[in-house]
Amino acid sequence: MADGDIKSEELGQIRIERPFYEDKQLRQDFCYEKPIKQNVAQKCSQEFRLSKFLVGVIPVVGWLPKYNWKNDLVKDIISGVTVAIMHIPQGMAYAMLGNVPAVVGIYMAFFPVLIYFILGTSRHNSMGTFSVACLMTGKAVLQYSDPGYFASSSIDTPSNSTEMEITGYSPIQVATAVTFIVSLFQVAMYVLRLGVISALLSETLVSGFTTGAAIHVLISQVKDLFGLNIPKSKGNFSNIYTIIAVFGELVNTNVAALVVSIVTITISAINNDHFKPLFAKVSPFPFPMELLAVVVGTVVSKYCYLEETYGVQTVGDIPVGLPDPTVPQFSLLPNLIVDGITISIVSYTINLSMALIFAQKLNYEVDANQELLAMGLSNVFGSFFSCMPVCASLSRSLIQQVVGGVSQLASIVSCLILLVILLWVGPFFEPLPRAVLAGVIVVALKGMLLQVLEFWKFWKLSKVDALVWMGTFLTVVLINIDIGLLCGVVLSLAAILFLSFKPHTCLLGHVPNTDFYLDIARYKAAKEVEGIKIFHYSGGINFATKSIFKSDLIRLIGINPQKEVVYRAKLAKYLGKADDQLHKSANLTGKLEKVQGKVNTKLRCLILDFSSVSHIDPSGVSMLKSVVENFTKLDIPVYIASCKEPVYEMLTKVYPDFVTKLGFRSFPTVYDAVHYSSELFLSSSNSTISTVRL
């Protein structure tokens, strides 16, 4: 017999003896007292300490003095070097998603990271570029940038550029304006303590949203994979327009670019699926295949003259040095409010999710609201230095942790290496084919694209969650990213509302020789107590669910008290006639028999199990009062069992005479209610109730 297969007779028995209680007596005997809410000002003054405030707002003040330089510094240096190597190809590739020059991706891995080092609470999040955030920023850049800037750079011109209004804004100006407004929203969320807002984005929604966004990224890279000169589509249904344009231009495929793409994707995929697991067995450091592909692609492009001879598009100009600080274009901010809200919530949710994963795995704390401040101020700083909104990358963060990174000092090491790239090495990558970066992006999308298989997991677990996933996914793919996110949030809230309108209700029965009262529809050993119906309700009772409570109660116990009153009135009327009249009138006799068949004489007591009732509002109390009154007219007492204190307080607050006038009683357990009921009519009934000695 397995360890867990212990027969019930082998277990010890518990015998508890206590007096019989009603809730009122229980409160008196055990000195019940409603908690008094502490004054907010007093609470703040008690909790405020300068040192605690500094550590809370500037976490580096708390952990850096305790840092173990001897044991952890080498680990962070190795981790920082490894992550810096990943930043180079990913930063350049994802910057192209944002429709800005490739060097912006390197800026994003340097400037905002310096602020996050000081303010962030996650030890392993690698801040910088992230495909979804960059893609969402690129949508705004494409919409509000002057098409003339695209024509004069390596970035593709958007479709219908000749019909577009000349705005005068460069892609960098739009991107930094997006970053600035994202930072404003994140800081505002921190001030309002809205870190909990990430709870609105459920696992189902995030999975469907990121999978749909991955499809967006993939479609956006098709033109670079095939070397096509296709203008970028903007607005709703852009994916559909892009696919139509791709099929129309396939005959003009640049063979050299296609070969470069195929080679990059093949080598990177083989490395990820086969060589990387083998390499991990002999070395804790991942083989930098993406960086190798970028370096080799650059060298081959330069010395084989791929751009001049075969027309392969390259990254283009990469400036040397750091960008000059520039104030964002504040005139753009009103136009970017929707984009700013969307990007700020998505990037924060992804960032916090990753932070919590590492914190749980490595047993340290992450402050959700402090992460908002860290991201907000990081983006404020980055917006002055040509950066798009930053977000943590799962792949880089995972590597930062796996290779032994202990703290955000690893990010500082990474920043120093990237500083060298920006000051001296950047121009080396100018001949890099865009097809190589597109290949790197496609391979990196594999994990997100495989999330499509999660739909079947959600379908098996919950059809409602599956519909949220599919609705979010299809809206993101077919219409647009921001509309898809809004649709996902609406569907999630609708799912919550729908489930709240489907509370669990059942009748409870007693398990002989125990104090258990279980669902008689699921537990065959549970038997209904004769003369007593025990109705269990799980959920809240409010203006929206009160009718559900009442209808389920009537359906399960088989008695409609209002109709029962009518039937009993008719029965009394017929019985009040003389016996000889009854016998003489066949019609009256038939009516009597018909009415007697409808009158329920078996139910003698109704018990409402409120152990799973989370709250009740005044509308719910009014409904409950009506139910109690109707059953009282039938001489059927109604008792409540296991009523939570807030629910009990609401009952007595709305109707202080609930107990005195209605004969309402409340008991701490179902057992107490059944015991009281059975004792009440035991002398006048051959009850077979099995009472348990507690």
Side-chain angles (χ1 to χ4, degrees):
M1 183 174 63
D3 293 339
D5 299 334
I6 302 176
K7 295 182 178 179
S8 59
E9 56 265 22
E10 297 178 8
L11 298 174
Q13 294 186 354
I14 298 177
R15 180 180 297 274
I16 301 173
E17 294 188 2
R18 66 166 174 82
F20 161 77
Y21 278 111
E22 284 189 61
D23 271 337
K24 184 177 180 181
Q25 188 64 39
L26 186 76
R27 284 163 168 75
Q28 291 177 356
D29 290 356
F30 296 104
C31 306
Y32 174 77
E33 182 177 317
K34 186 177 180 180
I36 300 175
K37 293 184 178 180
Q38 190 176 18
N39 183 277
V40 176
Q42 293 177 346
K43 186 177 179 181
C44 292
S45 63
Q46 290 175 5
E47 292 184 352
F48 182 81
R49 299 288 186 275
L50 180 60
S51 59
K52 186 176 181 179
F53 174 78
L54 288 176
V55 172
V57 178
I58 311 176
V60 71
V61 175
W63 65 263
L64 190 58
K66 304 175 184 178
Y67 184 77
N68 192 330
W69 296 91
K70 182 178 180 180
N71 295 331
D72 297 339
L73 181 59
V74 175
K75 297 177 183 178
D76 278 336
I77 290 176
I78 295 173
S79 176
V81 172
T82 307
V83 171
I85 292 173
M86 295 182 66
H87 265 301
I88 298 171
Q90 286 192 4
M92 298 175 70
Y94 292 154
M96 306 298 280
L97 288 177
N99 296 316
V100 294
V103 71
V104 171
I106 309 298
Y107 294 158
M108 293 171 63
F110 179 75
F111 293 103
V113 174
L114 298 176
I115 304 299
Y116 188 83
F117 164 78
I118 299 172
L119 301 177
T121 59
S122 174
R123 303 175 189 175
H124 298 93
N125 272 5
S126 176
M127 305 300 291
T129 55
F130 182 68
S131 57
V132 176
C134 292
L135 181 69
M136 296 174 73
T137 305
K139 166 184 166 291
V141 170
L142 196 65
Q143 183 171 358
Y144 295 105
S145 297
D146 194 317
Y149 286 95
F150 291 99
S152 60
S153 68
S154 60
I155 306 173
D156 296 317
T157 305
S159 59
N160 301 324
S161 60
T162 56
E163 302 175 5
M164 292 177 60
E165 179 183 356
I166 304 301
T167 63
Y169 296 118
S170 68
I172 289 293
Q173 288 176 321
V174 177
T176 54
V178 171
T179 306
F180 186 78
I181 198 166
V182 166
S183 70
L184 293 183
F185 281 118
Q186 289 175 336
V187 172
M189 288 168 64
Y190 164 76
V191 173
L192 298 175
R193 315 301 288 177
L194 294 180
V196 72
I197 200 172
S198 63
L200 290 177
L201 305 186
S202 63
E203 177 188 359
T204 308
L205 188 155
V206 172
S207 175
F209 176 79
T210 53
T211 307
I215 300 293
H216 259 280
V217 175
L218 180 63
I219 293 175
S220 71
Q221 297 307 300
V222 171
K223 59 182 184 54
D224 286 334
L225 294 174
F226 288 87
L228 303 175
N229 292 317
I230 297 176
K232 291 188 175 183
S233 299
K234 69 172 188 174
N236 297 334
F237 309 103
S238 59
N239 280 344
I240 297 175
Y241 296 139
T242 300
I243 292 174
I244 294 173
V246 166
F247 279 105
E249 291 290 328
L250 277 179
V251 293
N252 299 322
T253 298
N254 188 311
V255 178
L258 181 60
V259 170
V260 171
S261 303
I262 293 174
V263 171
T264 303
I265 292 174
T266 303
I267 294 176
S268 298
I270 292 175
N271 172 71
N272 289 344
D273 295 338
H274 301 286
F275 293 153
K276 184 177 288 186
L278 295 176
F279 196 75
K281 295 180 180 179
V282 298
S283 173
F285 314 110
F287 185 73
M289 179 56 71
E290 292 83 0
L291 180 61
L292 182 62
V294 168
V295 173
V296 172
T298 302
V299 172
V300 171
S301 175
K302 181 176 182 179
Y303 293 102
C304 293
Y305 306 102
L306 295 184
E307 183 178 16
E308 296 84 354
T309 306
Y310 302 101
V312 175
Q313 292 184 348
T314 60
V315 169
D317 180 59
I318 297 180
V320 177
L322 301 177
D324 295 328
T326 306
V327 177
Q329 294 291 326
F330 297 135
S331 58
L332 269 171
L333 299 187
N335 298 326
L336 299 171
I337 291 177
V338 175
D339 296 283
I341 294 175
T342 307
I343 297 172
S344 61
I345 294 177
V346 170
S347 59
Y348 169 66
T349 301
I350 294 172
N351 185 78
L352 182 62
S353 299
M354 295 180 188
L356 291 174
I357 289 173
F358 292 116
Q360 183 177 9
K361 181 179 179 181
L362 300 172
N363 195 28
Y364 65 87
E365 296 294 327
V366 169
D367 187 330
N369 281 298
Q370 180 63 26
E371 286 296 301
L372 274 172
L373 180 65
M375 292 188 69
L377 295 185
S378 296
N379 283 321
V380 169
F381 188 59
S383 67
F384 287 85
F385 292 95
S386 304
C387 292
M388 293 187 292
V390 293
C391 183
S393 163
L394 178 59
S395 58
R396 293 195 309 268
S397 301
L398 185 61
I399 292 299
Q400 182 166 318
Q401 184 266 319
V402 168
V403 299
V406 178
S407 71
Q408 282 296 331
L409 274 177
S411 298
I412 296 299
V413 174
S414 176
C415 287
L416 294 176
I417 296 174
L418 294 174
L419 180 61
V420 175
I421 301 294
L422 291 171
L423 293 179
W424 293 288
V425 185
F428 168 79
F429 296 106
E430 289 180 355
L432 174 65
R434 290 163 59 97
V436 172
L437 295 179
V440 170
I441 291 174
V442 169
V443 174
L445 288 175
K446 178 183 176 182
M448 294 176 65
L449 292 173
L450 288 178
Q451 288 180 154
V452 72
L453 300 176
E454 293 187 358
F455 171 75
W456 303 111
K457 179 190 75 172
F458 292 121
W459 181 262
K460 293 178 181 178
L461 296 176
S462 169
K463 302 298 187 293
V464 175
D465 280 348
L467 291 177
V468 172
W469 191 99
M470 185 56 69
T472 305
F473 172 78
L474 291 178
T475 311
V476 169
V477 172
L478 298 179
I479 303 180
N480 216 330
I481 290 181
D482 49 1
I483 295 179
L485 179 63
L486 177 62
C487 176
V489 172
V490 171
L491 287 175
S492 295
L493 294 177
I496 295 173
L497 186 62
F498 172 75
L499 293 175
S500 68
F501 278 94
K502 291 181 68 66
H504 173 64
T505 58
C506 65
L507 290 180
L508 302 183
H510 178 236
V511 179
N513 302 317
T514 72
D515 62 337
F516 294 149
Y517 289 86
L518 306 176
D519 184 355
I520 59 175
R522 287 178 166 82
Y523 294 89
K524 303 305 178 186
K527 305 298 180 182
E528 278 198 86
V529 180
E530 184 177 342
I532 300 176
K533 294 285 187 181
I534 308 171
F535 177 72
H536 175 84
Y537 181 92
S538 180
I541 305 176
N542 50 52
F543 68 94
T545 60
K546 64 179 183 179
S547 60
I548 298 175
F549 177 95
K550 190 173 182 178
S551 61
D552 280 9
L553 174 65
I554 293 172
R555 175 177 57 84
L556 288 173
I557 68 174
I559 297 179
N560 187 327
Q562 293 175 326
K563 292 183 179 180
E564 189 76 14
V565 169
V566 175
Y567 294 149
R568 294 195 179 192
K570 288 183 178 180
L571 180 60
K573 175 182 177 182
Y574 295 149
L575 290 176
K577 296 183 179 295
D579 291 341
D580 57 342
Q581 288 182 327
L582 287 174
H583 291 297
K584 290 178 182 178
S585 173
N587 182 41
L588 193 57
T589 304
K591 289 182 178 180
L592 177 61
E593 292 176 350
K594 185 177 180 180
V595 172
Q596 284 177 329
K598 292 182 178 180
V599 173
N600 190 304
T601 58
K602 294 181 180 180
L603 181 61
R604 306 187 63 177
C605 178
L606 173 61
I607 297 175
L608 306 178
D609 177 18
F610 274 19
S611 59
S612 297
V613 174
S614 55
H615 69 276
I616 188 170
D617 69 355
S619 298
V621 177
S622 298
M623 179 276 302
L624 190 61
K625 177 176 179 289
S626 174
V627 168
V628 173
E629 288 176 338
N630 288 332
F631 277 100
T632 302
K633 292 177 182 178
L634 302 175
D635 294 325
I636 299 175
V638 179
Y639 304 143
I640 291 181
S642 304
C643 186
K644 300 290 191 298
E645 277 71 16
V647 176
Y648 183 87
E649 289 163 3
M650 179 59 71
L651 290 174
T652 55
K653 183 186 296 183
V654 176
Y655 289 106
D657 58 350
F658 218 81
V659 177
T660 56
K661 290 187 178 181
L662 295 179
F664 164 81
R665 293 182 182 274
S666 178
F667 299 89
T669 67
V670 173
Y671 169 79
D672 289 282
V674 173
H675 182 79
Y676 178 84
S677 303
S678 61
E679 291 290 339
L680 190 64
F681 58 81
L682 184 61
S683 58
S684 60
S685 173
N686 295 324
S687 176
T688 58
I689 299 175
S690 300
T691 57
V692 182
R693 184 67 172 173
L694 290 181

